[in-house]
């Protein structure tokens, strides 16, 4: 097993970001709730622990705490913000409310030990603080390593036990060189090998898939999205002709997507591909349905039933490949290797029926989106697939708010194609572009407009474009006004039934990237 770190989440908004930064240092890690069972956390055989921040105060009744087995493990610990305070509290130090809270940028002054600056902190001076409590007395065995204007112990360490704490957040971009602190803790203190690379990911996934499926045939649900494409490519590398790919045209795809996906898979993956035209089935099943979760369940149910039909025709494979990625897992439930996972119905193939006849194969389950793309490139997949816009399993159902009808889907598809065309021409989409995802949402809202001399009463469309590193958090893309104006003008003039276009400027959180 690859060397790893366990990150314990005490409720911080930055917890997933810690995992991202550690992975960027080519160190494997997983994120667990602070109170996850010991066997779950220890199943990855961690060589050290990172304790995240959190919104609570350690001295409050019912506040999260460090489980006893972590301290008894003898492994190195790095506490960040609340994690540092929890470590202090657990080891007999003192944490008190601060007379002056410390939020935002701050300067820290390093405190040398034996005339030397601790390597953990040597590249740090400007950091990002976010705390209302502070440590007033360190536990026995600790030395002060840094201080700030409001924190006498902005960093501390026990070099005998390899316990360290920092009051600031090294994981955020506002702490320059913060990733170097995380890298030093992982490689120099925990002795973790920095070998989490696309090549090692592929090797480990291939081994795992072969062990899971043996000589059995495997069915892969492919949608053309990067996750399902890379998942299928990984499984194909592992088992070759045992894999059968099924592409279902639900009638809920983007413009020309069916032809593009089929062509790309046959030319580059060289695996058996069965294309199924089921547009009428899906659209009929969605008639009169407006509730988002019900729509996703209907689409998920249809997907699985079609796969089961295809499975019967090819000898009833036991396994189904799904492009679940790590954000899906984290947002749905705590990652737990010991039992089946709840899968958020918004992702992948939608809401999966309980009586599904397949065992899932999920080779990307512990990868972030950028890692998935790096693996796809290492596998030789074309840029058109690897950098394809993320697309939810339920398709345009998720972006067609209200009832899904053939007419409304065609309207949405046409508007979305205009947006993608204009953003691509302007260099705002694709590899290296700042915009991570962009699409149109059709709203079940009609408004009055004027076209020529005629009064109109038509639907409104919303443009959603975001920037993100990991799809767990996202900010709205600051697209040029003239570009937005050009897109809106084309949509209103070229797409029948839309007379108003708005731009969504909400971040995630509080919103999600998709609207449903």
């Amino acid at each position: 097993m690859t060397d790893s770190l366990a990150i314990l989440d005490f409720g911080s908004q930055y917890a997933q970001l810690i995992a991202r930064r550690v992975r960027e240092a080519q160190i494997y890690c997983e994120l667990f709730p602070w109170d996850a069972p010991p066997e779950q956390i220890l199943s990855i055989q961690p060589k050290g622990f990172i304790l995240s921040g959190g919104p609570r105060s350690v001295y409050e009744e019912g506040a999260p705490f460090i489980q006893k087995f972590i301290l008894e493990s003898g492994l190195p610990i790095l506490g960040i913000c609340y994690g540092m305070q929890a470590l202090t509290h657990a080891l007999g130090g003192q944490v008190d409310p601060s007379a002056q809270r410390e939020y935002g940028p701050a300067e820290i002054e390093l405190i040398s030990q034996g005339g030397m600056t601790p390597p953990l902190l040597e590249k740090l001076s400007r950091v990002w603080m976010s705390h209302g409590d502070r440590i007033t007395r360190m536990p026995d065995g600790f030395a002060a390593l840094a201080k700030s204007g409001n924190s006498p112990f902005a960093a501390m360490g026990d070099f005998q036990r390899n316990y360290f704490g920092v009051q600031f957040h090294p994981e955020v971009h506002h702490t320059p060189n913060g990733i170097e602190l995380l890298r030093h803790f992982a490689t120099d203190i925990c002795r973790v090998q920095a070998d989490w690379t696309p090549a090692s990911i592929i090797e480990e996934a291939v081994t795992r898939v072969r062990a899971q499926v043996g000589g059995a045939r495997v069915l892969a649900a492919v949608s053309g999205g990067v996750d399902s494409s890379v998942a299928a490519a990984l499984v194909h590398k592992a088992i070759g002709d045992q894999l059968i790919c099924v592409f279902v045209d639900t009638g809920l795809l983007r413009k020309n997507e069916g032809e593009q996906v089929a062509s790309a898979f046959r030319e580059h993956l060289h695996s058996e591909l069965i294309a199924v035209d089921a547009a009428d089935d899906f659209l009929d099943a969605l008639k009169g349905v407006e509730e988002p979760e019900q729509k996703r369940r209907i689409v998920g149910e249809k997907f699985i039933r079609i796969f089961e039909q295809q499975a019967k025709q090819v000898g009833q494979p036991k396994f189904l490949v799904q492009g679940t990625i790590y954000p899906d897992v984290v947002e749905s439930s705590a990652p737990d290797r010991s039992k089946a996972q709840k899968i958020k119905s918004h992702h992948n193939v939608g809401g999966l029926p309980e009586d599904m006849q397949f065992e899932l194969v999920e080779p990307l389950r512990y990868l972030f989106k950028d890692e998935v793309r790096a693996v796809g490139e290492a596998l030789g997949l074309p840029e058109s697939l690897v950098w394809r816009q993320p697309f939810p399993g339920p398709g345009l159902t998720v972006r067609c708010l209200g009832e899904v009808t053939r007419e409304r889907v065609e309207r949405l598809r046409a508007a979305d194609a205009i947006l993608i065309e204009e953003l691509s021409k302007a260099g705002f989409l694709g590899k290296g572009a700042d915009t991570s995802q962009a699409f149109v949402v059709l709203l079940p809202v009609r408004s009055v407009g004027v076209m020529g001399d005629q009064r109109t009463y038509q639907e409104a469309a919303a443009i959603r474009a975001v920037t993100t590193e990991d799809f767990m958090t996202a900010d709205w893309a600051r697209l040029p006004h003239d570009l937005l104006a050009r897109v809106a003008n084309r949509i209103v003039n070229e797409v029948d039934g839309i007379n108003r276009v708005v731009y969504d400027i909400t971040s995630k959180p509080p919103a999600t990237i998709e609207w449903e």
Side-chain angles (χ1 to χ4, degrees):
M1 177 179 284
T2 300
D3 286 352
S4 66
L5 295 179
I7 301 171
L8 302 183
D9 183 4
F10 287 89
S12 171
Q13 60 179 320
Y14 301 133
Q16 294 91 346
L17 196 52
I18 300 171
R20 283 297 311 117
R21 294 291 175 260
V22 173
R23 295 276 187 95
E24 285 172 12
Q26 297 186 330
I27 305 294
Y28 184 71
C29 64
E30 287 188 27
L31 182 65
F32 300 92
W34 66 271
D35 57 351
E39 61 271 16
Q40 180 182 334
I41 297 171
L42 296 177
S43 67
I44 67 168
Q45 299 176 25
K47 289 194 168 184
F49 299 98
I50 298 178
L51 316 178
S52 84
R56 303 287 296 276
S57 293
V58 294
Y59 46 77
E60 292 177 355
E61 184 177 352
F65 58 89
I66 302 173
Q67 295 191 73
K68 189 176 180 181
F69 79 92
I70 293 170
L71 298 172
E72 292 176 343
S73 69
L75 296 173
I77 297 174
L78 171 63
I80 296 174
C81 198
Y82 182 94
M84 177 187 186
Q85 296 165 10
L87 187 61
T88 299
H89 189 68
L91 297 175
Q94 185 70 33
V95 180
D96 292 303
S98 177
Q100 184 179 353
R101 295 184 177 187
E102 200 168 20
Y103 293 112
E107 297 286 339
I108 61 170
E109 179 184 343
L110 303 185
I111 302 171
S112 65
Q113 295 297 318
M116 296 180 61
T117 299
L120 193 73
L121 302 167
E122 61 185 5
K123 295 183 179 181
L124 293 171
S125 60
R126 190 166 180 82
V127 300
W128 186 262
M129 295 282 193
S130 180
H131 64 98
D133 294 334
R134 68 177 185 173
I135 293 163
T136 52
R137 179 171 53 81
M138 295 183 297
D140 291 343
F142 280 79
L145 304 180
K147 62 182 178 180
S148 70
N150 194 45
S151 296
F153 308 114
M156 65 180 192
D158 179 334
F159 293 90
Q160 293 297 316
R161 291 180 288 184
N162 281 328
Y163 288 170
F164 299 91
V166 292
Q167 189 60 75
F168 53 88
H169 290 273
E171 69 273 23
V172 302
H173 283 302
H174 304 293
T175 299
N177 297 317
I179 191 173
E180 294 303 322
L181 183 154
L182 296 172
R183 189 196 312 273
H184 176 77
F185 175 74
T187 59
D188 296 339
I189 295 174
C190 299
R191 305 296 181 186
V192 174
Q193 295 295 314
D195 57 4
W196 184 246
T197 63
S200 70
I201 293 169
I202 292 169
E203 181 181 357
E204 187 172 308
V206 165
T207 300
R208 192 166 58 246
V209 169
R210 287 174 178 166
Q212 180 182 4
V213 307
R217 302 209 76 185
V218 179
L219 210 58
V222 297
S223 65
V226 59
D227 300 336
S228 67
S229 299
V230 175
L234 263 177
V235 174
H236 186 259
K237 182 175 179 64
I239 62 174
D241 292 343
Q242 292 171 233
L243 176 69
I244 304 170
C245 294
V246 177
F247 173 68
V248 179
D249 187 343
T250 63
L252 303 166
L253 303 175
R254 292 167 289 196
K255 188 175 180 180
N256 301 325
E257 194 155 36
E259 298 90 338
Q260 293 169 359
V261 171
S263 174
F265 262 79
R266 290 184 172 124
E267 289 177 17
H268 298 280
L269 194 60
H270 307 299
S271 74
E272 183 178 349
L273 178 70
I274 299 171
V276 182
D277 183 353
D280 290 341
D281 289 344
F282 279 86
L283 290 169
D284 287 346
L286 289 166
K287 280 182 181 177
V289 181
E290 297 186 9
E291 200 277 320
E293 190 66 20
Q294 187 179 358
K295 288 194 291 185
R296 291 195 291 270
R297 283 196 298 269
I298 288 171
V299 173
E301 174 89 19
K302 278 288 176 186
F303 260 118
I304 293 300
R305 298 311 171 214
I306 289 171
F307 291 140
E308 288 174 346
Q309 291 171 12
Q310 295 302 318
K312 291 177 182 177
Q313 296 178 24
V314 295
Q316 198 66 46
K318 176 183 178 183
F319 298 97
L320 173 66
V321 179
Q322 181 168 275
T324 310
I325 65 174
Y326 201 39
D328 302 347
V329 177
V330 172
E331 291 181 2
S332 303
S333 60
D336 183 348
R337 294 176 181 269
S338 65
K339 59 184 179 183
Q341 296 296 300
K342 171 190 174 184
I343 298 174
K344 187 178 181 182
S345 61
H346 176 78
H347 293 286
N348 306 309
V349 297
L352 302 178
E354 293 182 2
D355 62 344
M356 184 179 70
Q357 300 301 306
F358 298 104
E359 180 179 329
L360 292 180
V361 177
E362 298 172 306
L364 312 179
R365 187 175 182 81
Y366 294 93
L367 301 187
F368 287 96
K369 180 74 76 175
D370 58 331
E371 294 172 321
V372 172
R373 287 197 165 113
V375 167
E377 290 182 328
L379 288 168
L381 292 179
E383 190 173 302
S384 60
L385 274 182
V386 174
W387 291 92
R388 197 177 191 86
Q389 282 281 289
F391 194 56
L396 294 179
T397 303
V398 171
R399 299 171 183 173
C400 187
L401 276 61
E403 185 181 5
V404 179
T405 66
R406 191 179 300 275
E407 179 186 24
R408 296 189 74 228
V409 169
E410 288 297 338
R411 185 175 298 151
L412 172 57
R413 189 171 8 244
D416 188 74
I418 290 171
L419 174 68
I420 299 306
E421 178 187 340
E422 291 292 343
L423 264 59
S424 297
K425 284 197 303 184
F428 283 91
L429 288 179
K431 185 175 182 178
D434 290 336
T435 306
S436 306
Q437 186 172 0
F439 53 89
V440 171
V441 179
L442 187 63
L443 307 177
V445 175
R446 292 182 181 274
S447 67
V448 174
V450 177
M451 292 186 180
D453 294 325
Q454 299 293 318
R455 178 183 183 275
T456 62
Y457 189 58
Q458 297 178 341
E459 289 188 303
I463 296 172
R464 179 68 158 154
V466 300
T467 60
T468 179
E469 291 185 352
D470 51 27
F471 290 84
M472 289 184 162
T473 61
D475 196 10
W476 61 279
R478 271 61 170 180
L479 298 177
H481 291 180
D482 59 344
L483 175 58
L484 288 170
R486 187 162 61 249
V487 171
N489 187 59
R490 283 194 60 190
I491 289 175
V492 169
N493 283 287
E494 298 177 28
V495 181
D496 290 338
I498 296 176
N499 69 352
R500 189 178 299 270
V501 178
V502 299
Y503 189 45
D504 182 352
I505 60 169
T506 318
S507 63
K508 173 190 178 181
T512 54
I513 294 177
E514 298 285 353
W515 277 45
E516 282 197 347

